[in-house]
């Protein structure tokens, strides 16, 4: 009997196995398993590396390779020459090397996380991993790799910053040169790809806005170019900001790129033509130039999720009011947002949790102070869970099930109905002394203007008169 791998048929089978492995991690683990597998790999290394790279990265591999091979020390102009020289580089045939792998994997992870997020927000709120079809995923990934490459080639570094600061004659030429390079980069895309790139850029901007909301740093309000600055640091850094719920990773990147100018970078309000409209203006300008060239040919842009039957069937509805505002629904997969502290969530979703207090309670200075102190300590999600699990829920509200969703409006009303009950329960749990109930309960008007009355009686109760 022959040893495994000795006959040509065995070797073919082994190579087929290696070529089918889904990730580089799986590949390098597998070739350690047996000498036969290792030998097969060694003899067909190029073929196997290319196949696994395709399995791991997907059909956007040519763009992924362009990004993996970009070196920040190479001048953008030189790198663009390499990209545009079709004869020297055909990425479909181009050999993936061991040096590429580390970059490919790192970028592929970033792209996969963005795709999960996109699918969750735009396609299927019930699932946190990507539910995009192969075609949708390919469109999304191409656009995201392009965005990553664009931010690498045109970073918000000191050159971008200094061009307008420098009053010499060559400023205009410098500026024109950079604008031309940007347009040249985008000219490689078809119209649909440019529209999809724009769509992904808007999505990334949505995420920047969300971070700005929860971070309550008001970066967007205080600097009109903040969105462009954020785009220029690239999707990997923005993803980190999203995960950390704050802009520190962004400031660190700007610090690194542009050490001398950081404080001014965020505060400077003079015009910086390379920052304002950083990407979107250039996409528009390339599309407009094409439209002007071929005015009789009107193409319909294909969005990432495609044209066709609306995705509405996938959207759940609010279990209480049946409204279908899909991405303002709270349920199993969106609880994470509700686990932010009440304070943080307050600035994002609800102006102030005490406005949820029923009747005249929100104008009772004594209660508002107490309740605010309690709310600051308790994540919103915990309050909501308590109401359901500690028997506080009023019967007119649905019980939760696995597919229970509640819209923001209903959630607001739900809190109005229950918050005072929850506060009283917390006081009982803490063995606080609770004063006698006022007959007029939360509707009492006297609690608003008579401090003594507000202090002496409990108003977190149903009116009995
Ligand atoms: Zn509702
Ligand atoms: Zn009263």
């Amino acid at each position: 009997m022959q040893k495994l791998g000795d006959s040509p048929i065995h070797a073919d089978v082994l190579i087929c196995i290696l070529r089918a492995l889904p990730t580089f991690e799986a590949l390098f683990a597998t070739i350690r398993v047996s000498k036969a597998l290792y030998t097969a790999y060694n003899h067909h290394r190029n073929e196997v590396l290319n196949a696994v790279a395709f399995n791991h990265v997907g059909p956007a591999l040519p763009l992924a390779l362009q990004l993996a091979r970009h070196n920040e020390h190479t001048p953008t102009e030189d790198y663009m020459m390499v990209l545009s020289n079709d004869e020297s580089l055909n990425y479909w045939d181009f050999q993936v090397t061991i040096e590429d792998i580390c970059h490919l994997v790192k970028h592929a992870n970033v792209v996969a996380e963005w795709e999960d997020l996109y699918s969750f927000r735009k396609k299927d709120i019930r699932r946190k991993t990507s539910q995009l079809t192969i075609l949708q995923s390919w469109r999304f990934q191409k656009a995201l790799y392009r965005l990553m490459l664009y931010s690498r080639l045109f970073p918000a570094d000191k050159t971008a910053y200094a061009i307008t600061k420098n009053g010499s004659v060559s400023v205009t030429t410098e500026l024109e040169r950079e604008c031309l390079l940007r347009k040249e980069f985008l000219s490689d895309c078809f119209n649909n790809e440019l529209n999809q790139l724009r769509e992904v850029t808007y999505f990334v901007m949505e995420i920047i806005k969300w971070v700005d909301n929860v971070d309550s740093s008001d970066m967007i309000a205080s600097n009109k170019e903040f969105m462009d600055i954020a785009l220029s640091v690239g999707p990997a850094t923005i993803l980190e900001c999203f995960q950390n719920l704050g802009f520190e990773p962004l400031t660190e990147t700007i610090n690194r790129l542009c050490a001398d100018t950081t404080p001014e970078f965020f505060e400077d309000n003079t015009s910086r033509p390379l920052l304002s409209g950083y990407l979107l203006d250039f996409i528009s300008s390339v599309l407009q130039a094409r439209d002007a060239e071929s005015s009789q040919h009107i193409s319909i842009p294909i969005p990432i999720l495609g044209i066709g039957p609306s995705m509405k069937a996938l959207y759940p509805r609010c279990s209480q009011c049946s409204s279908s505002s899909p991405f303002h629904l709270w349920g199993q997969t969106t609880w994470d947002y509700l686990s932010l502290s009440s304070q943080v969530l307050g600035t994002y979703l609800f102006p102030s949790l005490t406005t949820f207090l029923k009747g005249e309670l929100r104008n009772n200075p004594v209660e508002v102070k107490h309740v605010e102190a309690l709310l600051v300590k308790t994540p919103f999600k915990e309050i909501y869970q308590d109401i359901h699990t500690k028997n506080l829920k009023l019967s007119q509200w649905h019980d939760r099930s696995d597919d229970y969703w509640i819209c923001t409006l209903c959630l607001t009303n739900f809190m109005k109905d229950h918050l005072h009950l929850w506060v009283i329960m917390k006081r009982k749990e803490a063995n606080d002394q609770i004063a006698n109930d006022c007959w007029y309960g939360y509707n009492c008007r006297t609690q608003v203007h008579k401090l003594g009355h507000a202090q002496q009686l409990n108003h977190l109760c149903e009116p009995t008169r």
Side-chain angles (χ1 to χ4, degrees):
M1 176 155 170
Q2 275 181 321
K3 254 173 47 188
L4 183 67
D6 278 1
S7 84
I9 294 178
H10 282 169
D12 277 356
V13 171
L14 294 184
I15 293 158
C16 280
I17 293 172
L18 293 178
R19 283 173 53 106
L21 291 169
T23 62
F24 286 108
E25 208 183 348
L27 172 66
F28 295 127
T30 309
I31 58 175
R32 285 197 189 94
V33 169
S34 86
K35 204 167 172 193
L37 283 164
Y38 184 74
T39 317
Y41 164 74
N42 246 349
H43 286 164
H44 297 86
R45 185 192 295 246
N46 290 350
E47 184 190 337
V48 172
L49 284 180
N50 274 6
V52 176
F54 190 82
N55 301 342
H56 193 147
V57 175
L61 180 63
L63 280 167
L65 269 176
Q66 289 186 8
L67 179 68
R69 290 177 184 164
H70 174 257
N71 175 334
E72 59 183 0
H73 302 298
T74 313
T76 298
E77 219 157 4
D78 297 355
Y79 193 75
M80 299 258 304
M81 290 270 279
V82 178
L83 289 188
S84 59
N85 190 347
D86 297 327
E87 279 170 29
S88 70
L89 284 182
N90 179 342
Y91 281 103
W92 280 108
D93 303 335
F94 207 68
Q95 183 53 53
V96 174
T97 65
I98 294 286
E99 289 76 50
D100 293 328
I101 292 175
C102 175
H103 300 289
L104 282 178
V105 171
K106 193 172 79 187
H107 299 148
N109 289 342
V110 171
V111 172
E113 287 200 48
W114 271 108
E115 187 182 321
D116 286 346
L117 198 56
Y118 180 82
S119 163
F120 173 59
R121 298 294 301 170
K122 301 284 175 191
K123 185 169 178 183
D124 188 350
I125 196 180
R126 289 190 176 91
R127 291 174 186 84
K128 290 195 147 187
T129 49
S130 175
Q131 302 297 311
L132 301 192
T133 62
I134 294 174
L135 188 58
Q136 292 167 340
S137 164
W138 181 50
R139 289 182 192 134
F140 178 85
Q141 295 196 358
K142 273 192 301 176
L144 198 74
Y145 275 115
R146 284 209 166 95
L147 183 57
M148 287 165 93
L149 193 56
Y150 188 89
S151 62
R152 285 286 195 88
L153 293 172
F154 310 107
D157 62 5
K158 46 188 173 299
T159 23
Y161 183 81
I163 281 179
T164 53
K165 284 255 145 180
N166 177 350
S168 71
V169 193
S170 67
V171 166
T172 336
T173 0
E174 268 293 285
L175 194 64
E176 278 169 3
R177 192 188 63 98
E178 173 90 6
C179 292
L180 272 178
L181 280 178
R182 291 185 184 191
K183 284 183 200 161
E184 206 181 305
F185 175 82
L186 295 171
S187 302
D188 268 353
C189 307
F190 294 112
N191 283 6
N192 272 334
E193 291 176 322
L194 285 176
N195 283 311
Q196 288 153 11
L197 177 59
R198 179 149 56 187
E199 212 182 316
V200 166
T201 309
Y202 283 135
F203 177 65
V204 171
M205 287 161 77
E206 258 175 62
I207 298 296
I208 297 169
K209 235 180 177 166
W210 151 257
V211 178
D212 191 58
N213 277 326
V214 290
D215 183 53
S216 60
S217 56
D218 284 335
M219 296 291 260
I220 295 176
S222 60
N223 186 320
K224 64 181 189 324
E225 271 153 3
F226 183 76
M227 213 39 119
D228 291 302
I229 297 176
L231 283 176
S232 75
V233 299
T237 307
I238 297 167
L239 186 66
E240 268 183 72
C241 294
F242 173 74
Q243 287 155 346
N244 294 324
L245 295 177
F247 286 123
E248 290 79 24
L250 185 147
T251 345
E252 276 165 29
T253 311
I254 293 287
N255 266 326
R256 186 172 52 78
L257 285 172
C258 186
D260 313 332
T261 47
T262 312
E264 299 152 65
F265 205 100
F266 292 103
E267 285 149 29
D268 194 340
N269 272 321
T270 56
S271 149
R272 286 177 281 183
L274 289 177
L275 267 183
S276 64
Y278 172 72
L279 169 61
L280 292 173
D281 283 6
F282 290 91
I283 295 180
S284 301
S285 123
V286 172
L287 283 171
Q288 273 163 13
R290 282 183 192 170
D291 280 355
E293 256 172 50
S294 55
S295 49
Q296 70 275 55
H297 177 76
I298 300 161
S299 64
I300 304 159
I302 298 181
I304 289 174
L305 295 180
I307 311 169
S310 135
M311 319 292 296
K312 279 222 160 101
L314 282 173
Y315 296 160
R317 290 175 171 268
C318 171
S319 310
Q320 198 67 32
C321 72
S322 304
S323 88
S324 61
S325 57
F327 297 105
H328 295 98
L329 287 180
W330 306 97
Q332 265 188 359
T333 47
T334 45
W335 284 136
D336 282 1
Y337 295 96
L338 293 180
S339 51
L340 298 172
S341 76
S342 304
Q343 239 178 343
V344 172
L345 194 70
T347 58
Y348 173 60
L349 259 186
F350 312 113
S352 162
L353 279 168
T354 43
T355 55
F356 288 141
L357 284 169
K358 220 168 178 171
E360 297 293 332
L361 278 171
R362 82 200 68 167
N363 300 318
N364 175 332
V366 182
E367 284 306 346
V368 164
K369 222 169 108 194
H370 284 157
V371 173
E372 258 172 3
L374 192 59
L375 291 181
V376 163
K377 286 192 292 193
T378 324
F380 184 80
K381 183 181 169 185
E382 194 181 310
I383 306 175
Y384 184 78
Q385 302 275 40
D386 278 353
I387 294 171
H388 277 283
T389 54
K390 297 190 176 168
N391 245 342
L392 301 174
K393 190 183 74 63
L394 302 172
S395 58
Q396 66 264 38
W397 290 92
H398 278 262
D399 285 325
R400 281 187 307 175
S401 62
D402 284 347
D403 201 27
Y404 178 89
W405 300 91
I406 185 164
C407 70
T408 304
L409 188 69
C410 287
L411 183 65
T412 311
N413 289 331
F414 180 87
M415 292 312 288
K416 274 189 184 157
D417 273 359
H418 295 96
L419 189 60
H420 63 288
L421 303 175
W422 178 83
V423 174
I424 267 295
M425 179 215 67
K426 282 308 250 191
R427 285 202 191 144
K428 284 182 185 155
E429 272 184 3
N431 289 326
D432 285 354
Q433 271 216 328
I434 299 165
N436 292 331
D437 290 353
C438 169
W439 292 340
Y440 300 96
Y442 47 69
N443 282 339
C444 169
R445 294 277 309 138
T446 319
Q447 64 179 325
V448 180
H449 48 80
K450 279 203 174 142
L451 195 63
H453 179 82
Q455 281 164 336
Q456 274 158 18
L457 291 174
N458 170 41
H459 290 91
L460 299 160
C461 55
E462 296 294 314
T464 50
R465 288 195 177 197

